[in-house]
Structure formats: C-alpha cells, structure tokens
Amino acid sequence: MSPAKTTPKPAELAAEVRVPLDAAIADLQDGTRTWAALTIDQRARLLDRVRAAVVASADEWADAAALSKGLEPGHPLRGEEWMSGPYAALGGLDGYISSLKALARGTSPLEGVRISEAHGGRVRIEAFPASGMDRVLLSGFTGELWLEPGVTAAQARSEAGLGHLRATENTGVGLVLGAGNITSIPFLDVLYELIAENRVSILKVNPTQDAVLPVFERALAPLIELGLLRIVQGGGDVGAYLAQHPSIAHVHITGSALTFDAIVWGAGAEAERRRAADDPKLAVPITAELGGVSPIIVVPGTWTDADLKYQAEHVVTMRLHNSGHNCIAGQVVVLSSDWPQRDAFIAALETALHAAPERPVWYPRSEEKLDAAAAGYPDARWNADRTRAIVDLTAGGDATALQTTEYFSPVLGVVQVPGTGQEFLDNAVAYANDNLVGTLGANVLIDPATEALLGAGFERAIADLRYGGIAINTWTGVVFATPILSWGAFPGGTLQDVQSGLGVVHNTLLIDRVERSILRGPFRPFPRAVGDVVRSLSLSKGTVLPKPPWFVDAKTGASVGEGLTRWHMTHSVPRLVATLTQAMRS
C-alpha cells in the first residue's frame, strides 16, 4: 500500500503582497473566458496589435536590457540585446500570426512546407528558411524539425495547430516563472502558453529583469488589457506561493534543475521523503527548460589557418555571448587526440578568447562559479582580469566538475577522445551523451569535405545525439533565436530525473511530438564559402555573410544586430541595404 499523498499549503506571504497576486489570478480566470470566445482570426489580429506594441517598444527594450547588463552606449556588444530581445520576439510573433491565419483559413500551418525523411524513418519538417528574405538575411542556414519516431507526415499535418485545434477549450490559468538572462525568453514563453497551449498566464519576472518589466508591460499591453496576462515581481517566496495557488493549472519555468526540484519536491528532508514516496509537492503539470553542459564537437579535417581562426572565434562566441550567462552556452570542446591540428586549434581558441571585447560578468553568483572553476582547476589559463578561463584537459585531469557543472559564466573546457573520421564522431557523440549533464543543445563543427566523406554516417551520428537542439556549423543559440524551430530538452526527462527539462516552446508552426530541431550553417564565411559552393554544387554550403553579427568579435555586430531587428520592425528596404552594407564590413 503506497503512502497517502499530501497536499502542501501555499507559502505564507504578507497580505500586501498576497492580495494583489490573488487579484491578478482572479482577473486571469475571467480572461480565460475572453480568450475562449475569440475566433482564431481575432486571435491573429490581436497578435498583430502585440507586434505593433513590440515595434513601439523595441528601442527602449534593447537599451534597458543592455544597461541592466553593464553595456553602456557605444559598447560593441549591444547588438546582442537587439537580437536576443525584440528580434527574437518579432520572429516568434510573425510565426504565430502566420500559423493562426492558416488555421483561420481552414488549412494546416504546414501547408506549403516541405516534409522529407530523416535518419531512422523520422519525419523531417524543413521549416527554415520560411521566406525569400530568410534566404538573404541568413543565407546558407537551413533549419528542420525532426519528429518522434513513429509519427507520420499525415499525422504531422493534421495535428499541426496544437491548442488551436481546440480553440474554445478553457485550459485555465498558467504560471510562467521567467528566465533571468535573456529578455525574449519570458515574452516567448507567455506567447507559447497562450497560442500553443490555449492558456492565459501570470508571469513572474526574474528579479534580474526588473529593469525590463516596464517594457514587457508596454510590449504585451494588448494581452494585459484583455485580461490574458498579468505580470508580477518578486523573489522565490512569490514564485512558491503562485506555484501552490489552487487556481493555477500549470507551471512553466526557465531556470535551473535545482529550482525545478525545489518547486516539484521541496527542499531538504521534505524533498527526500516526497521523492521516495513519489509524492510531488507540486499538484499540477509542469514544463521546463533548464539548461545543461553543452558540447562543441570539432570533427577533425584538414583546415586552413583561416578556418582555425574563424572556428575558434565561433567557439568563443558560443561561450562569451551574454558573458556566458546562457543555458545554451557551449562549455566543453571535444577534440580528437589524433588530429594533427589539435594544438593549433587550442592556440587559436586562447587567442580568440583573449581578443574578444571585455564586458561585465553580471549574473548573480557568477563570481562563485568562477571561484569554483579556479579551485577545481588550478592549471586553468585565465585572462580578461581573471573573468575568462580555458580548462585544457587534453593532457589529462579529472573532467568530472567540467562535465557536471553548468558554470553559466565564461569557463570553457577542452577535452579529447580518440579517432578520426567516423570513429571520432561516434566516440564524441557517446562522450557527450554519457558524460555531460543535460540534453538541451549540442554543437558540431565539420568542414564540407569531411562531411561529404562521412555521408550517411554523419546523419546517423546526428540522430544518435540525445539533444533537443543541434547546431551544425552554427551555434544552438541561433536555434533559440529562430522561433519557427522548437526549443527544449530531448524527450525523456521525468519529474524524478528532469535532465534539461520537459516539453518545448517556440515551435511557431505548432507541431506536435517534436523530438529535436537542427540548424545547419556554412562552415566558412564569405568570400571563402564560394569555393565550398563550387565544390559541392550546393548553395546551402555558401553564405553572403563575412561574419555573422552574433559573433562577439564582429566589428559591426552592434549596428547590424540593431539593423536586422529594424528590418523586421518596418521592412524598410533602404535601411536593410544599409544594414547589409554594414554586415559586409564585420
């Protein structure tokens, strides 16, 4: 006979804090009826209003986010806040509007989208580029969603729409516990709850983003006015109170596995008792995106000096974007012990890490993470006033801490496994799957000649990677910023062992049973990419970008990041031409 389940009491809060929260949830309960009464066409037009509000708020959004992270006017990395804020938000809105308009016409969001077969008989939805302008702005990049084994193309088409296939269904009020690092995360999470899950939300903003809260209120004003959203502030006590509120039907969190476990199981002896009894503290369903330790698998080939330099800058970008405060920051570089260019690549990494623009390490408790890395790896090589480290374990050493600690700060590890070609790739995939904590995202760098030589073996190895987002010759952060793709952990997490989370977000085509998203980019920039196009007779290997604007060392990254966002805001052709001209000088 199993132990009786227990129902925890909501956290105690002072009346002046508790009463406004209760009132917000009561407003949202009315909002559920408002949302259920809207037609799909009306919902699409409501998102058009949200889009206009984002456009009106974009300058303030990017500026507030940059200043909150210590990036003063003129800082070369301020473009990050344009692209990871309003740029990503507009991409999500445009995708959802397109899908809702298709559903309102009585067609599937997959109408006109190419569907093919991926490794293992999986359905592959070739989602990106979705427009001609995508092909210009991100030339050489292609994105696809792989569905879970057993899902057919017919099922994918008929089930596309998710909650909007049951648009009049009332799914209650959800709680969104917002992320503290990237400003578009809470915005896009609220949209996914509303559009994909048919659920209104109360959003608790992470205290690190309090400075951006007024922007959220303006950008999301059309939803707030209809009672479809309420935004509140507070610490862990407020989050705990809301998660246990009897009128909350669902919880979504972006954060750490520790926070997830505290919500689901409690802390200390209570958590141990509840886990043993399989008696979660949380009484409602929960979805989550929780990060992890992300690999950067470098497949050995014959690289030029320019290749070594460019891809080293690429890896450093994966680590240093947002000062390393990303759940998807690349942390462990996996090299071949048999690659003749291994040492040259490590040297290029150190050079690129040292040369990248300096910036504050701003996220709370980051100093503790850096101190832990210094204590655990006294031979680590530091620069930028001891705020960046390379932990080179290719000569040996205990990799346990590097493999199991998400440093969430500028700590980059380097390890090695044996082999070349397919042997190395299989070894590297096994290493990532079996040794690194988390299943959110993996990065693979491979030159076109080596990829062609591996052929079907390469696709099989990619299928073997147990990660929800995979970036080939690009960074998984770009998967996040391309909301037509899904974002979330590889399927298989549970309440007892959550890994990198449960469920997905973004996914603007509203596809059910997504297993992973894969984004493929060009190995070389323009003009060197021209040779790859000629050799492969495939434009997919080429690009017009000399350096993507999200690279931390892109000379014009700030102006190009802002300019690309303004293109999405206004579709001004002269402004776009000026932005592309800037991009050619990056």
Side-chain angles (χ1 to χ4, degrees), residues 174-317:
L175 167 64
V176 173
L177 296 171
N181 58 333
I182 295 293
T183 57
S184 61
I185 293 177
F187 182 96
L188 290 169
D189 288 351
V190 163
L191 285 186
Y192 190 80
E193 285 289 290
L194 189 65
I195 305 304
E197 303 294 347
N198 227 23
R199 184 181 296 121
V200 305
S201 296
I202 182 166
L203 165 64
K204 190 194 83 67
V205 175
N206 188 293
T208 62
Q209 295 203 3
D210 281 350
V212 192
L213 186 144
V215 178
F216 289 156
E217 291 176 331
R218 283 186 272 281
L220 292 162
L223 303 185
I224 295 171
E225 291 165 2
L226 287 179
L228 308 179
L229 175 67
R230 290 290 181 266
I231 306 176
V232 299
Q233 294 172 276
D237 57 343
V238 171
Y241 176 79
L242 292 171
Q244 295 296 335
H245 199 285
S247 296
I248 291 295
H250 179 271
V251 175
H252 177 78
I253 176 176
T254 299
S256 71
L258 288 175
T259 303
F260 175 92
D261 286 343
I263 292 170
V264 173
W265 303 106
E270 179 198 20
E272 293 179 12
R273 176 181 59 79
R274 287 186 174 278
R275 278 186 181 277
D278 196 22
D279 178 22
K281 178 180 180 181
L282 189 68
V284 298
I286 183 170
T287 51
E289 188 265 273
L290 305 174
V293 174
S294 294
I296 307 166
I297 297 173
V298 180
V299 183
T302 303
W303 293 10
T304 66
D305 289 344
D307 293 336
L308 292 168
K309 179 177 183 294
Y310 178 79
Q311 293 301 345
E313 293 164 351
H314 196 177
V315 170
V316 166
T317 292

Side-chain angles (χ1 to χ4, degrees), residues 447-509:
D447 66 85
T450 302
E451 183 179 347
L453 185 65
L454 296 182
F458 178 73
E459 291 299 307
R460 192 255 307 150
I462 294 301
D464 288 343
L465 267 174
R466 297 193 297 268
Y467 289 84
I470 297 174
I472 302 169
N473 290 333
T474 182
W475 172 41
T476 42
V478 189
V479 178
F480 168 88
T482 309
I484 197 169
L485 303 176
S486 62
W487 184 246
F490 192 78
T494 65
L495 293 183
Q496 290 276 7
D497 180 18
V498 70
Q499 300 179 53
S500 285
L502 306 168
V504 301
V505 291
H506 301 185
N507 183 28
T508 62
L509 290 171

